[in-house]
Amino acid sequence: MFPTDRPRRLRRTPALRRLVAETSLAPRHLVLPMFVADGISEPRAISSMPGVHQHTLDSLSAAAEAAVAAGVGGIMLFGVPKVEDKDENGSGATDPDGILNRGLARLKVDLGDSTVIMADTCLDEFTSHGHCGVLGENGSIDNDATLLRYVDMAVAQAESGAHLLGPSGMMDGQVGAIRAGLDAAGHVEVGQLAYSAKYASAFYGPFREAVGSSLQGDRRTYQQDAANRREATHEVELDLAEGADMVMVKPAMSYLDILRDVAEMSPVPVAAYQISGEYAMITAAAQNGWIDRDAAVLESLVGIRRAGADVVLTYWATEVAGWL
C-alpha cells in the first residue's frame, strides 16, 4: 500500500518503461494491404485514404519491395479490374490473366519467399453487382454456388504464387471447400488466413473507393451483426474445424472485445485488420490538427496487439516498420 507501493517508479524513464512493457510491436507483426489496378499507367491516389494508392504492376513491385526492406511481415493483395471486365460471376477472379492473379505472379517473381504473399479470396471486386458471391434467382447470395467459384479462385491464386489465401466472403463452409479444392489440385502447402469474424461495418466506406466497388445495398445477410459477440467464436470454431491455418477479426478497433475472445480460444495465430475507415479517421483528425498522428497510429496498433492479435493488417505497415 501507499506510500510503500509506488507503481510510478517503473514509469520514471523511457528505459524503465521499455524494460517492463507487456506488449511489443515489431515490423514482423505487420501486414501491408495493397491494391493493384488494371488499366492505369501510373499509381492512382485513393481520395478517402490519403497516402494509399491503387498500383500499377510496376509501382506495386516497388512498394512491396520497400515494405519487405522495412521488415514488414507480409503483403495482402487486392485486385481492381476494369469496370468493363466485371460480370455476374466475377470471372476475372479466376482468369490467370486477371489483374489480381497477374499481381500475385509479379510479387512471386520479385519477392519469392522473402515475405508472405497473401491474396484476397473473394469475388466482390470482380462482380458487376459488387457482392461477395454468386446471385441466385431471387437476387440473394447462393452460398453453395459461391463455394464452387471460391475453389476455382483459390486454385488460380495458388498457381499464381500466393503463400496464404484470405477467404473473406463469410460464406458458410468456405474454408473447408477451399481446403479440399487446394489439396485436390496439389496445393497442400498453401495456407488459409480465414476472415472468420468479419462484421458488417460502416468503417468499410473508403475501401469501396479503393477497389472500385459496384455494390448496391449491403452485405448484412452474410457478414456478422455488430451486436453479436458469441457468434464470432462460433464462426472461428467452424473455420478451425474446416482447416483454417490462421483466423482473423475484422474490423479491429471497434471489435477489440471480439479479438480478445478469439485470441483466448484460438490454437492458431490470430490476425486483426485495421480497416480503411479506421485509417481514414486517424488520418483526417491528424490533418485537422486535432491529434498527434504518429502517436495515435502507434497507440492504435499497440492496442490491437494488446487485445491479442499476433498479426495486424494496416495501411501504415511500411511507415510504422520504419519507425520501429
Side-chain angles (χ1 to χ4, degrees):
M1 299 291 291
F2 181 84
T4 303
D5 288 336
R6 293 179 180 267
R8 286 185 56 196
R9 292 185 185 116
L10 297 183
R11 304 174 194 151
R12 191 164 55 89
T13 69
L16 277 167
R17 294 193 295 273
R18 183 171 62 248
L19 178 68
V20 300
E22 299 174 32
T23 304
S24 63
L25 181 66
R28 70 177 183 87
H29 297 132
L30 307 177
V31 168
L32 178 65
M34 302 185 74
F35 306 97
V36 60
D38 207 359
I40 62 174
S41 57
E42 58 184 21
R44 180 161 56 197
I46 300 167
S47 64
S48 54
M49 300 174 68
V52 181
H53 296 80
Q54 293 177 345
H55 286 284
T56 66
L57 288 172
D58 287 341
S59 68
L60 171 73
S61 178
E65 288 178 354
V68 173
V72 165
I75 306 292
M76 174 63 80
L77 191 61
F78 297 84
V80 186
K82 292 182 286 188
V83 174
E84 59 266 29
D85 289 338
K86 298 183 181 185
D87 59 30
E88 287 287 309
N89 293 318
S91 60
T94 52
D95 183 351
D97 291 324
I99 185 58
L100 178 52
N101 292 324
R102 282 190 284 137
L104 291 169
R106 176 66 178 267
L107 291 181
K108 184 63 174 178
V109 168
D110 292 347
L111 302 175
D113 295 333
S114 64
T115 192
V116 181
I117 301 170
M118 309 177 190
D120 177 55
T121 310
C122 193
L123 295 174
D124 57 318
E125 294 102 297
F126 300 92
T127 55
S128 53
H129 47 74
H131 278 287
C132 296
V134 178
L135 298 183
E137 292 183 1
N138 63 358
S140 64
I141 302 298
D142 185 327
N143 189 96
D144 296 2
T146 298
L147 296 184
L148 299 176
R149 295 290 298 131
Y150 284 0
V151 170
D152 290 344
M153 186 177 188
V155 171
Q157 292 177 339
E159 292 177 349
S160 296
H163 297 104
L164 285 178
L165 307 186
S168 61
M170 290 299 289
M171 296 295 123
D172 295 339
Q174 62 185 16
V175 172
I178 290 172
R179 183 71 271 152
L182 289 172
D183 291 354
H187 295 294
V188 295
E189 78 287 353
V190 175
Q192 291 186 75
L193 167 53
Y195 288 55
S196 299
K198 183 178 180 180
Y199 284 82
S201 173
F203 295 109
Y204 294 138
F207 182 86
R208 304 276 163 81
E209 178 193 353
V211 297
S213 175
S214 302
L215 180 66
Q216 299 295 318
D218 59 53
R219 297 181 173 132
R220 296 185 181 277
T221 64
Y222 45 104
Q223 294 177 354
Q224 288 181 247
D225 188 329
N228 293 348
R229 181 174 180 175
R230 291 191 302 270
E231 182 183 45
T233 52
H234 180 54
E235 289 277 9
V236 170
E237 288 168 347
L238 291 171
D239 282 357
L240 290 172
E242 292 175 22
D245 301 284
M246 299 173 63
V247 295
M248 185 192 292
V249 174
K250 182 181 181 181
M253 293 169 63
S254 298
Y255 296 85
L256 295 178
D257 58 328
I258 308 301
L259 177 57
R260 182 72 256 161
D261 290 345
V262 171
E264 288 178 347
M265 56 81 67
S266 175
V268 302
V270 176
Y273 198 145
Q274 185 181 52
I275 64 170
S276 60
E278 296 166 343
Y279 174 95
M281 285 192 303
I282 292 175
T283 300
Q287 288 179 337
N288 277 281
W290 297 335
I291 61 174
D292 180 326
R293 173 187 178 273
D294 295 0
V297 168
L298 281 175
E299 184 177 339
S300 69
L301 293 172
V302 169
I304 295 167
R305 285 272 296 138
R306 188 184 64 242
D310 301 293
V311 174
V312 183
L313 283 76
T314 176
Y315 298 98
W316 283 300
T318 303
E319 183 178 7
V320 170
W323 302 344
L324 300 174

